[in-house]
Amino acid sequence: MGALFIRDIRLGLRAGGGVLIGILFFLAVITVVPFGVGPDLKLLARIGAAMLWIGALLATLLGLDRLFQADRDDGSLDLLIMASERHMLALTVLIKCLAHWTVSVLPLVVASPLLGLFMNMEPAAIGATTLTLLVGTPAITLIGAVGAAVAVSLPRGGLLVSVIILPLTVPVLIFGVSASYGAVEDPAPFLAPFLILAAITLFFAVLGPLAAAAALKSSAD
Amino acid sequence: MSETVSKTARWIDWANPTRFMTFAAAFLPWLGGLTTLVLAVGFWMSMQAPDDYQQGATVKIMFIHVPFAWLSMMCYTIMTLAALGTLVWRHPLADVSAKAAAPIGAVFTALALVTGSLWGKPMWGTWWVWDARLTSVFVLFLMYLGIIALTRAIDDPAKSAKATAILTLVGFINIPIIKFSVDWWNTLHQPASVLRMGGSTIDPSLLWPLLVMAIGFTLLFFTLHMQAMRNEIWRRRVVAMRRVAARSAERRTVQ
C-alpha cells in the first residue's frame, strides 16, 4: 500500500504538470472574482472565504477524472482489481484518493492563504479558511472517487463526473464556509460546523472508497 | 420452510419480464381508471374546500404542491430500493424500475419546485429563497438529472444499471436531509404539519382534499412508473431483435 501511495504521487507529479494546472485554475477563478463583483475591498473581504471555497471545489473537480483514467488506460487498474483478493479494493481506492489529494489538492490548500491576501481577508479568516480547506477537501476527493469510478469507462467522463458529483458536495461547501465565517463573525460558532465538516470527511472516507470499489469491480469485466 | 420456498418462487416469478408484462397489461387499465377516479374526486374536493382565513384562495396550491413534494422523495426512495435490488439480489427488473422512475421523479421534483415558487410569491413575497428545504429539494432535482445523464451516457444496460445503482445509493443521503431540514434549521418553509406527533395542524376541511389528492397522485405515479417500465422492456426487446436481425443478415451475406 505504501508502494502504491509513492507510485501514485510520483506519477501525479510527473504527469504533464497536472498540479500546476490545478493551482493555475484556482488562481484564475479567484482573479476573475474581483472583475465580476468589482474591486470593493470590503465586499471582497466578506465573500473571500466563500470564493476560496468555491475556487478550491472547482479546481478539485477539474482533476478528478484523472483519478482512475490513467490507470485504466495502461491496464494497471485491472491489475489492482485482480489483486483485490489480497488487498481489499476499497483500501486501494482510499490510498489512491489520498495520493491524489496530496498531489493535486494539497497544493491548493497551501496556495489559499496567498489568494486570501488578494481578497483582503483578515489573518484570522485566512487561517480559518485554510484550516477548513485542509479538513474539508479530502471529502470532495473521496466523494469524487465515486463519480470517477462510475464514469471510468466513458470516453468523455470528465464533465459528467463534475455534474454528478457537484450536488453531493453541497454539504461540504455549506459547513466549510460557515466554519470559516464562524471564526471571524462573532455570534456564529466556529467549532460546531468545523466538527461537522470533519465528520463528513470521515464519513465519506468509509462510504466513498466502498462505493467506488463496487463501481470499479462492475466496470472491469 | 415451504413458506420460504413459495416466497422465493414468487420472487423469481417477478423477475421474469414476460410475466411482468402480462401482469402489467392486465393491471394497468384498472390502475389508470382508479387514478383518474381518485384524482377527479380530489380535484372536486379541492374546489369545494374553503379558502384559508389568512392565505385566501392561494392555499389551494397546497393540494398539488404537497403531493408533488412527497412524490419527489418517494420516487427517490423507490429508486434506492431498486438500486439495492440491482446490487444485492441482481433482480433483472430492478434496474428497469430505477431507470423508468428517474425521469418521472425529476418531473415531480420540478413541479414541486415550480408550484412552491408560485405559492411563495404571494405568501413570502419572493419566488425563491435559499432556505434549507428549498435548497435541498433543488439539490435533489440536480441529482435526478445527474442520474439520468449517467444512465443515458453508458450504452450497455447491465453496466449502466450498476453504475447508476451505486450513485443512487450514495445520493440517498440527501433524502433524510430534506425530510428533517425544516426541523434542524429554522427556515422560512413551514415545519411538517400533516404527519406529526400530536395530530395534524391542518383543519379537516383542508386536510381531507389534501389526503385524497396525495393518494391520487401516488396512484398516478405508479401508473406512469409501470407504463414506463413496460416501455423500457419493449425498448430493450426491440434493440435485442435488431441485433439478432443484423447478425442474421450478416450471416446471409457471408453465405
Side-chain angles (χ1 to χ4, degrees):
Chain A
M1 288 293 127
L4 179 68
F5 185 73
I6 291 167
R7 163 189 174 271
D8 267 23
I9 285 187
R10 276 203 188 134
L11 280 177
L13 285 178
R14 205 177 300 160
V19 189
L20 201 64
I21 292 175
I23 296 181
L24 279 180
F25 181 76
F26 190 27
L27 186 68
V29 169
I30 297 299
T31 318
V32 165
V33 173
F35 288 108
V37 301
D40 179 2
L41 283 180
K42 265 189 201 149
L43 179 66
L44 284 182
R46 205 156 47 99
I47 63 170
M51 283 303 143
L52 282 183
W53 256 98
I54 291 174
L57 175 65
L58 293 179
T60 311
L61 287 179
L62 188 72
L64 271 178
D65 57 323
R66 302 302 300 162
L67 188 54
F68 301 116
Q69 199 78 51
D71 276 356
R72 187 187 159 83
D73 289 348
D74 65 9
S76 47
L77 187 65
D78 291 332
L79 289 180
L80 287 176
I81 293 170
M82 273 193 279
S84 63
E85 285 174 8
R86 280 179 298 146
H87 311 290
M88 198 176 149
L89 187 56
L91 196 63
T92 314
V93 173
L94 181 66
I95 298 291
K96 282 190 74 67
C97 288
L98 285 181
H100 181 264
W101 181 80
T102 316
V103 172
S104 55
V105 186
L106 193 58
L108 301 180
V109 179
V110 173
S112 63
L114 180 68
L115 297 173
L117 279 180
F118 283 167
M119 303 295 280
N120 189 35
M121 287 159 66
E122 297 166 32
I126 292 179
T129 309
T130 312
L131 192 62
T132 51
L133 279 175
L134 185 65
V135 173
T137 43
I140 301 175
T141 307
L142 290 164
I143 300 170
V146 184
V150 155
V152 71
S153 55
L154 295 175
R156 285 172 47 92
L159 208 56
L160 188 68
V161 172
S162 305
V163 168
I164 60 182
I165 285 310
L166 213 49
L168 296 171
T169 55
V170 168
V172 184
L173 192 65
I174 291 174
F175 289 110
V177 173
S178 62
S180 313
Y181 280 135
V184 268
E185 283 166 24
D186 217 15
F190 168 74
L191 196 62
F194 184 73
L195 289 181
I196 293 178
L197 187 67
I200 291 176
T201 301
L202 291 178
F203 177 70
F204 279 111
V206 178
L207 184 69
L210 278 178
L216 283 178
K217 258 184 204 161
S218 74
S219 78
D221 43 18
Chain B
M1 184 63 207
S2 64
E3 200 174 306
T4 35
V5 168
S6 65
K7 237 182 203 169
T8 330
R10 245 180 291 153
W11 190 234
I12 290 170
D13 281 355
W14 272 100
N16 184 343
T18 311
R19 209 163 281 204
F20 171 79
M21 297 298 265
T22 21
F23 172 75
F27 193 61
L28 258 178
W30 293 100
L31 194 61
L34 190 64
T35 309
T36 325
L37 196 69
V38 176
L39 273 182
V41 172
F43 273 125
W44 185 77
M45 282 172 82
S46 312
M47 291 301 133
Q48 296 296 311
D51 289 352
D52 189 77
Y53 79 104
Q54 270 183 332
Q55 304 196 4
T58 53
V59 74
K60 289 183 179 166
I61 297 178
M62 177 181 79
F63 296 136
I64 52 174
H65 171 68
V66 175
F68 288 156
W70 275 342
L71 281 176
S72 68
M73 286 196 275
M74 190 190 80
C75 177
Y76 201 90
T77 313
I78 287 178
M79 281 166 62
T80 310
L81 292 179
L84 278 179
T86 307
L87 291 177
V88 179
W89 298 293
R90 301 179 187 250
H91 197 283
L93 276 179
D95 83 86
V96 175
S97 160
K99 191 178 177 188
I104 306 175
V107 168
F108 273 121
T109 316
L111 283 175
L113 287 170
V114 168
T115 52
S117 163
L118 288 175
W119 195 10
K121 184 63 182 165
M123 286 304 111
W124 299 341
T126 172
W127 296 108
W128 184 260
V129 283
W130 288 98
D131 121 319
R133 174 157 286 187
L134 275 70
T135 311
S136 51
V137 173
F138 192 65
V139 168
L140 177 68
F141 180 60
L142 290 182
M143 269 173 13
Y144 273 123
L145 295 189
I147 288 172
I148 294 172
L150 182 68
T151 320
R152 300 287 185 275
I154 306 177
D155 286 334
D156 183 6
K159 272 187 185 173
S160 91
K162 272 189 191 158
T164 316
I166 290 166
L167 186 65
T168 314
L169 281 183
V170 173
F172 186 67
I173 308 163
N174 196 22
I175 293 293
I177 296 182
I178 296 178
K179 178 75 188 71
F180 297 110
S181 60
V182 282
D183 303 329
W184 289 345
W185 291 287
N186 188 11
T187 61
L188 193 55
H189 195 286
Q190 60 169 345
S193 40
V194 177
L195 296 169
R196 61 172 227 149
M197 305 288 280
S200 170
T201 54
I202 300 181
D203 190 75
S205 65
L206 295 177
L207 184 60
W208 279 110
L210 175 61
L211 288 182
V212 174
M213 289 295 271
I215 294 170
F217 276 111
T218 311
L219 287 172
L220 176 68
F221 168 79
F222 281 117
T223 314
L224 291 176
H225 188 208
M226 200 175 268
Q227 185 70 49
M229 279 174 76
R230 209 149 70 123
N231 286 351
E232 180 61 28
I233 293 174
W234 272 329
R235 197 174 297 132
R236 285 184 189 182
R237 283 190 181 166
V238 168
V239 169
M241 278 173 177
R242 276 205 190 127
R243 285 205 184 131
V244 170
R247 212 172 297 146
S248 58
E250 199 175 300
R251 212 171 288 146
R252 233 174 284 137
T253 47
V254 167
Q255 276 167 359

